[in-house]
Amino acid sequence: MSSVAETNTTDIVYSARGLTKHYGPIKACTNVNVDIRRGQLIAIVGDNGAGKSTLVKMMTGAIQPDEGKLLLRGEELRFNDPMEARSKRVEVVYQELALAPNLDAVSNIFLGRELRRPVLGTPLVQRLDETKMRQLAEQEIKRLNVNIPQLVGMPVGRMSGGQQQSVAIARAVYWTSDVLFMDEPTAALGIQESRAVLDLVKKIVDDGVAVVMISHILPHVMELADHVIVMRHGEKVADLERAHISMDELVRLIVGA
Ligand SMILES: Nc1ncnc2c1ncn2[C@@H]1O[C@H](COP(=O)(O)OP(=O)(O)OP(=O)(O)O)[C@@H](O)[C@H]1O
Ligand SMILES: [Mg+2]
């Protein structure tokens, strides 16, 4: 197993040490270390059941590790739930969309975090600031160069899978500028839709966000990732710079041949 110990440690934004999660006899994840750097895309690959989602869930507050610790910007902490992780600028986007299908894009971007403004000249009486939310959403969508047909008045449930995924990513990026986890963000998408989402991912990595993406699609991994983590039977079996590995070697590491 190769290590990342020799690389620069100053730009590490988030680390995991010794993360372990067992379900009775099932060793979903055992003693996994991860270092995440600003402006870097880490791909997590591995066969079905290898422990990828479990690892990401432990790092985003969805489940609690049995053992191990998390260090965000050098500070040891725990997330009791995903909201707590969000409040520390650690976000996650799943394959199955966590959008409200009946609401439009702007409402989804601000869902649960709506902006309000005082009315009647007192902060005691507040109303939703729809103009402000629309302006900010427009700015963000424009900055990310995302193709969303209509930001206001069109339920996202009527948009294509790729457009919905782009809204989900735009929401995550709007609220976080530090670490974004994605669990198979293109698994449910067609070729063109995947392309648009991957372009968006590239853009946010270039903007300095650290992105950790689980993917089964190895050509995407080879194209986009700076770093690759390979999981097998709950253990991290490789952690390498993508430039140092070929697709064939990656496949061998995944299947354990
Ligand atoms: N809540 C749970 N209870 C029991 N076993 C679980 C639970 N969650 C995950 N597992 C088991 O832990 C192992 C790792 O699961 P995990 O979902 O992390 O795999 P994965 O690498 O994400 O797989 P996939 O590529 O299929 O999404 C699997 O054997 C799975 O069945
Ligand atoms: Mg999974």
Side-chain angles (χ1 to χ4, degrees):
M1 190 174 99
S2 97
S3 102
V4 293
E6 68 276 11
T7 30
N8 191 355
T9 56
T10 53
D11 49 358
I12 293 176
V13 50
Y14 191 26
S15 300
R17 287 289 170 270
L19 284 189
T20 297
K21 185 78 186 177
H22 293 173
Y23 295 101
I26 300 167
K27 297 180 171 171
C29 230
T30 304
N31 196 24
V32 175
N33 297 337
V34 180
D35 284 323
I36 299 168
R37 291 173 171 75
R38 205 171 296 287
Q40 191 180 56
L41 194 148
I42 298 180
I44 303 180
V45 300
D47 222 335
N48 293 118
K52 306 178 296 294
S53 296
T54 302
L55 176 60
V56 166
K57 284 177 184 164
M58 286 191 284
M59 295 192 76
T60 55
I63 57 174
Q64 297 301 320
D66 298 339
E67 281 171 45
K69 61 182 185 183
L70 301 173
L71 296 143
L72 186 63
R73 298 172 210 99
E75 185 196 337
E76 188 173 343
L77 46 57
R78 55 176 291 160
F79 297 135
N80 289 304
D81 54 54
M83 283 311 289
E84 226 175 275
R86 272 179 158 193
S87 74
K88 302 274 187 186
R89 304 168 76 80
V90 174
E91 286 267 355
V92 58
V93 171
Y94 291 103
Q95 167 190 352
E96 58 283 3
L97 295 153
L99 297 175
N102 298 325
L103 300 181
D104 63 21
V106 173
S107 306
N108 266 287
I109 288 172
F110 288 93
L111 190 61
R113 293 180 276 201
E114 291 82 1
L115 303 182
R116 291 168 201 281
R117 65 184 164 87
V119 285
L120 306 174
T122 159
L124 295 175
V125 189
Q126 304 237 329
R127 198 169 276 163
L128 288 183
D129 195 341
E130 279 163 2
T131 312
K132 183 94 188 175
M133 287 190 280
R134 199 189 64 228
Q135 280 171 354
L136 290 171
E138 271 169 6
Q139 264 174 31
E140 185 68 0
I141 295 290
K142 195 167 169 209
R143 187 180 73 82
L144 294 172
N145 198 18
V146 183
N147 168 30
I148 304 292
Q150 201 180 317
L151 282 175
V152 178
M154 179 181 186
V156 297
R158 278 198 234 139
M159 295 180 191
S160 77
Q163 288 163 343
Q164 292 186 49
Q165 195 61 283
S166 298
V167 172
I169 293 171
R171 173 173 67 182
V173 174
Y174 179 79
W175 292 104
T176 178
S177 52
D178 291 345
V179 190
L180 176 60
F181 287 85
M182 297 195 280
D183 194 342
E184 302 192 45
T186 63
L189 306 182
I191 291 172
Q192 282 184 353
E193 292 183 331
S194 296
R195 194 68 261 160
V197 167
L198 294 176
D199 287 345
L200 175 55
V201 170
K202 260 190 215 163
K203 164 120 188 61
I204 60 181
V205 172
D206 287 346
D207 286 349
V209 177
V211 176
V212 182
M213 181 171 84
I214 296 176
S215 181
H216 280 286
I217 307 172
L218 297 186
H220 292 170
V221 171
M222 294 306 286
E223 177 194 334
L224 287 180
D226 299 297
H227 214 87
V228 185
I229 287 176
V230 184
M231 297 287 299
R232 194 165 70 234
H233 303 316
E235 292 181 30
K236 185 176 84 171
V237 294
D239 187 336
L240 327 130
E241 280 181 40
R242 203 268 304 135
H244 293 165
I245 191 168
S246 69
M247 182 105 87
D248 284 353
E249 286 166 326
L250 202 51
V251 172
R252 274 198 290 277
L253 283 165
I254 290 169
V255 300

